[in-house]
């Protein structure tokens, strides 16, 4: 499902259904050809999911630089019925898109354990 109007990501029959916990999403920057993959719960902290733009500082800086969220493309990749699914499906989609190796990805880590930039020890 592609969507361009921020705040109208999920149809009401999904987010009003208490059996769904959240969704996995992708945000594309059409100007710089960069993207971000993340997760958001419908009833979690961190702001209203209808206006959420991800936790990436790099992505949020570009949103500000380019004039707002409406300049980006949003896609729901998956819906999740459990908190466990939110975590596992986010990792699945991040790995599927190879976000740690892809220079066009805003994602900097998976599970806050595997990081994009390697350090020498």
């Amino acid at each position: 499902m592609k969507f361009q109007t921020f705040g109208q990501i999920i149809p009401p029959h999904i987010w009003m259904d208490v059996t769904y916990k959240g969704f996995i999403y992708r945000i594309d920057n059409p100007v710089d050809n960069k993207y971000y993959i993340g997760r958001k719960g419908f009833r979690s902290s961190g702001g209203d999911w209808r206006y959420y733009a991800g936790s990436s500082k790099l992505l949020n800086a570009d949103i500000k630089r380019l004039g707002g969220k409406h300049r980006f493309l949003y896609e729901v990749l998956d819906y999740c019925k459990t908190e466990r699914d939110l975590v596992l499906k986010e990792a699945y989609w991040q790995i599927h898109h190879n976000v740690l190796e892809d220079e066009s990805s805003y994602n900097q880590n998976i599970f806050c354990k595997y990081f994009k930039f390697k350090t020498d020890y």
Side-chain angles (χ1 to χ4, degrees):
M1 161 199 300
K2 288 272 186 190
F3 55 97
Q4 201 157 0
T5 305
F6 200 81
Q8 297 181 14
I9 302 170
I10 312 295
H13 75 278
I14 297 289
W15 65 266
M16 292 179 76
D17 182 343
V18 295
T19 61
Y20 285 94
K21 297 298 182 195
F23 58 100
I24 309 303
Y25 62 89
R26 177 179 165 137
I27 300 175
D28 284 284
N29 172 343
V31 174
D32 298 336
N33 294 316
K34 295 185 81 171
Y35 67 93
Y36 178 77
I37 294 175
R39 72 173 186 253
K40 184 64 176 158
F42 292 128
R43 292 151 195 86
S44 63
S45 62
D48 189 328
W49 63 268
R50 288 170 287 192
Y51 307 102
Y52 188 71
S55 60
S56 168
K57 291 179 182 178
L58 299 172
L59 168 63
N60 284 297
D62 275 356
I63 288 172
K64 186 175 181 179
R65 176 179 63 88
L66 295 173
K69 298 170 188 171
H70 65 283
R71 301 213 184 266
F72 290 73
L73 300 173
Y74 303 83
E75 179 180 6
V76 174
L77 299 175
D78 220 331
Y79 295 110
C80 303
K81 290 195 172 195
T82 67
E83 294 292 329
R84 181 178 185 268
D85 275 351
L86 272 171
V87 172
L88 295 177
K89 287 183 177 184
E90 178 189 35
Y92 165 80
W93 284 103
Q94 289 172 339
I95 291 165
H96 178 74
H97 287 273
N98 201 21
V99 299
L100 298 183
E101 300 296 325
D102 189 351
E103 291 296 322
S104 62
S105 166
Y106 287 107
N107 293 84
Q108 298 298 305
N109 67 75
I110 296 175
F111 286 134
C112 292
K113 184 173 184 174
Y114 305 102
F115 293 88
K116 184 172 238 174
F117 302 108
K118 300 172 184 127
T119 57
D120 293 328
Y121 295 99

